Amino acid sequence: MTSYNKINGEHVSQSKTILQEILRKEFKYDGTIMSDWFGVYSTKESLEAGLNLEMPGPTRFRQAVQVIHAVQSNEVSEEVIDENVRYVLQLVSESLKAEIPNDVVESPNDDPAASELLRKLGNESIVLLKNESGILPLSKTSVKGQKNIAVIGPNVKVAQDSGGGSASMTTRYKITPWEGIQAKLKEGNDTVGLEYALGAFLDSTLPDVGEVLLNEEDEKGIVARFYKYPPDHKGDRILMETLNLSTSRVLLSDYSSDKLDPNNPLYYVDFTGTFIPDETAEYNFGTSCVGTAQIFVDDVLVVDNKTKQTKGDAYFLGMGTREERGSAYLEKGVPYKVRVEFGTAPTYTLESGLEDAGGLYFGIQIKSTPEAEISKAVKLAKEVDKVILIVGLSKECESEGFDRPNMDIPGYTSDLIEEVVKVNPNVIVVNQSGSPVSMPWAKKVPGLIQAWFGGSELGNSLADVLFGDYNPSGKLSMTFPKRLQDNPSYLNFGSTNGQVWYGEDVYVGYRYYEKVEVEPLFSFGYGLSYTTFELHGLEISNNGDSINLKIKLTNTGAIYGAEVIQIYIKQENPIIPRPKKELKDFGKISLEAGESGSIEFSISIKEATSYWNGLKHKWQSDKGIYKVLVGTSSDDIKLQGKFVTPRTFNWIGV
């Protein structure tokens, strides 16, 4: 897939240099090349560059009349068309081998082995960043004075399983941190008290309620009924389909029914579910859409985004309405019937430019102030032994089509953490994000976990680590800086008149922080364990093409665990400016308490030593002495060795 941007002034989707010289010839790629969505800017140039497929359909630059005219006027040769068609047909041919029927219905994988694998992946991805005074793991029973735990934060009862936009997938189920922790404590021999507080708001819009509403089987979810005609239709509305959904953020671009005219995306959907409040209070209801929508609570209209609509920019690539809100006073524990009546994009009263059915988002949240929620959380924190603060980002904060304006967690989350730590020092912060966030409170909390967006089993995986049923072994895949200004791209980020300068060059991530000696908050490759390891006995051999390494290590702690060994290479006295060291390989080894073992690596010398020579347009490996640095993070090197290359040479390809 080609990117949207230009490289050296030319769009990638029409660059012969990128698509032919590099992708086809150097990389030997023999598959289909397609554009990113709406990432084509020409007919002739993109065809001749070998962009085989324009996405999405219907095409904008390759309509029959355009291509036929280009061929008949000798602007584009038939051979160019044939070559592009061959790659598309090749894709079709390979896809047919999957033997997926045309009318297949998407279905979930309910094999228990799938859930087990997701939980294992979640466990292994979690990174333990701080564990002062052994505050972790927590106990499932009332020991060490731990009798009750408060779980506080906007991500406690929300399953932040993934980023937004194209990072999202439909899931069969999601386990929230609250559910995972509840289930874990039930495994204990006696009961540890568990309390909850929201603490802070996260998103600027109301949160997804797919995990909050109950469907008609009293299970988590929303019932969606698709009709051909609107609710006020005098006759039969013609029910087309009934679906159970796990989200209240719905896009309908690919919905189809044999009861609909394929050229007319006009239809109606009623979304229903039962809402049972956690506390007696006034609650906000809200929706934004491309189409029209109204929200009813026990058949009373609460939100009207139908008769009067205002443009917004929160969703739908800036084409939808602003979030319209209304409120209702609800009592704790009482079930309320929520119904959202939605009409698709043709009912929209504003300009959208969409040719499909559009979509809507709707949510529910207690009506309160940040100060009031922090106050409730602080009151609870005073009354418990341990506090787990589950915070971070969400699909709204990390999605496609925009960049985060800063590294801060939105809203009053940092204030919440600061105030809770003042009244209870036994705090574990769990951060969920796909990228670094500012942590001005990091030194004040004894326990800190980076949990990322953990997929369907995120709640269970997190509970496994918090309570010690899994010993964390994850490592940071990126550097966490102390502040936004420390980032390598800080001075270059963004475009000026459509031009972006990648001024950081090869000094990205840890390479930059080490070169300019800026101390990060947490270094690349960093991650703690509930046990300890000792590395020793580095052995290096060089056969001319590769270096072979063998490292011995011992689990010097009291429990089973795993360590990730990282191999960095550093050239001594380089003839050009180079990073202080570069990661070239890594591997994981698991050991019982007291057990010793070894791990081996074989690393290509040309790949380990080479850099791009822009003058020769080739990779270059310089003769000389190279250090092998073995560590458990980029700033924690345990062992060192050397190898020598006898000659300088150039190469191309992969």
Side-chain angles (χ1 to χ4, degrees), residues 344-534:
T344 57
T347 69
Y348 199 34
T349 63
L350 306 173
E351 290 290 332
S352 74
L354 287 180
E355 298 179 2
D356 60 33
L360 85 162
Y361 292 176
F362 63 94
I364 307 169
Q365 193 171 63
I366 192 169
K367 189 174 183 179
S368 182
T369 65
E371 293 79 7
E373 293 307 308
I374 290 176
S375 177
K376 286 188 281 187
V378 168
K379 181 177 182 297
L380 176 60
K382 290 179 180 179
E383 301 168 353
V384 299
D385 301 307
K386 303 280 178 65
V387 177
I388 305 171
L389 279 161
I390 303 179
V391 300
L393 305 181
S394 68
K395 286 181 171 64
E396 178 180 304
C397 306
E398 286 195 300
S399 187
E400 61 185 335
F402 65 91
D403 296 300
R404 288 166 55 200
N406 51 54
M407 280 176 49
D408 299 339
I409 299 175
Y412 284 69
T413 295
S414 288
D415 300 81
L416 167 67
I417 297 171
E418 296 276 3
E419 294 303 312
V420 167
V421 172
K422 288 178 182 177
V423 300
N424 191 327
N426 300 313
V427 172
I428 300 104
V429 174
V430 176
N431 180 65
Q432 290 187 281
S433 65
S435 53
V437 298
S438 300
M439 298 181 179
W441 33 261
K443 291 184 178 180
K444 300 178 183 179
V445 299
L448 178 56
I449 286 174
Q450 175 65 25
W452 314 103
F453 297 129
S456 298
E457 285 282 333
L458 71 94
N460 287 331
S461 296
L462 178 59
D464 286 344
V465 170
L466 285 170
F467 291 90
D469 287 336
Y470 182 82
N471 184 358
S473 59
K475 302 287 186 175
L476 288 181
S477 55
M478 61 192 78
T479 305
F480 274 45
K482 292 180 179 179
R483 56 181 196 149
L484 179 66
Q485 291 87 341
D486 293 341
N487 278 279
S489 64
Y490 181 73
L491 292 177
N492 309 304
F493 184 77
S495 65
T496 302
N497 297 323
Q499 190 172 60
V500 178
W501 293 98
Y502 292 89
E504 61 270 33
D505 196 46
V506 299
Y507 299 100
V508 176
Y510 70 92
R511 301 178 180 190
Y512 170 81
Y513 294 97
E514 292 181 352
K515 194 73 171 180
V516 299
E517 297 181 351
V518 170
E519 183 183 8
L521 183 62
F522 295 106
S523 61
F524 172 79
Y526 175 80
L528 302 175
S529 169
Y530 294 150
T531 190
T532 54
F533 296 89
E534 180 181 310

Side-chain angles (χ1 to χ4, degrees), residues 67-293:
V67 176
I68 291 172
H69 178 70
V71 172
Q72 290 179 341
S73 61
N74 293 321
E75 285 292 312
V76 177
S77 71
E78 291 185 14
E79 286 76 12
V80 167
I81 302 299
D82 291 344
E83 184 71 4
N84 282 287
V85 169
R86 284 191 192 98
Y87 281 109
V88 175
L89 292 177
Q90 177 179 301
L91 173 63
V92 173
S93 178
E94 291 296 318
S95 300
L96 289 174
K97 293 177 182 178
E99 297 182 348
I100 300 174
N102 290 334
D103 58 351
V104 69
V105 177
E106 184 180 33
S107 59
N109 179 0
D110 55 8
D111 185 348
S115 295
E116 292 173 9
L117 177 59
L118 290 171
R119 187 167 183 166
K120 179 177 183 291
L121 294 172
N123 286 340
E124 294 194 15
S125 72
I126 291 173
V127 184
L128 177 62
L129 296 176
K130 289 188 69 177
N131 191 21
E132 294 178 354
S133 304
I135 191 171
L136 290 168
L138 300 172
S139 174
K140 289 178 273 188
T141 60
S142 299
V143 296
K144 300 179 181 178
Q146 176 189 294
K147 296 182 180 179
N148 49 20
I149 298 172
V151 190
I152 299 171
N155 284 350
V156 173
K157 293 190 175 183
V158 178
Q160 301 291 6
D161 60 314
S162 71
S166 297
S168 300
M169 292 185 68
T170 301
T171 58
R172 178 168 62 90
Y173 68 95
K174 300 176 187 177
I175 305 297
T176 66
W178 177 253
E179 292 167 327
I181 293 170
Q182 275 188 318
K184 188 64 66 177
L185 289 178
K186 288 179 181 178
E187 299 173 5
N189 295 325
D190 60 346
T191 302
V192 174
L194 192 64
E195 302 290 340
Y196 162 75
L198 176 65
F201 301 111
L202 175 56
D203 294 334
S204 60
T205 56
L206 300 182
D208 189 332
V209 288
E211 301 293 308
V212 175
L213 296 181
L214 300 177
N215 61 26
E216 292 165 355
E217 285 74 42
D218 286 331
E219 298 175 343
K220 290 191 300 183
I222 301 163
V223 178
R225 290 184 170 86
F226 293 74
Y227 295 96
K228 187 172 183 179
Y229 298 110
D232 59 357
H233 183 66
K234 300 302 181 182
D236 183 3
R237 294 184 66 192
I238 305 182
L239 177 64
M240 299 185 293
E241 189 171 11
T242 300
L243 297 175
N244 286 312
L245 307 179
S246 61
T247 178
S248 61
R249 300 189 171 194
V250 182
L251 299 176
L252 295 165
S253 56
D254 59 353
Y255 180 77
S256 63
S257 170
D258 56 10
K259 297 181 176 66
L260 290 173
D261 178 353
N263 297 315
N264 183 7
L266 174 62
Y267 54 91
Y268 301 84
V269 190
D270 287 356
F271 300 92
T272 59
T274 300
F275 177 60
I276 303 177
D278 287 332
E279 59 182 285
T280 298
E282 190 167 0
Y283 285 80
N284 277 325
F285 294 76
T287 179
S288 60
C289 61
V290 175
T292 53

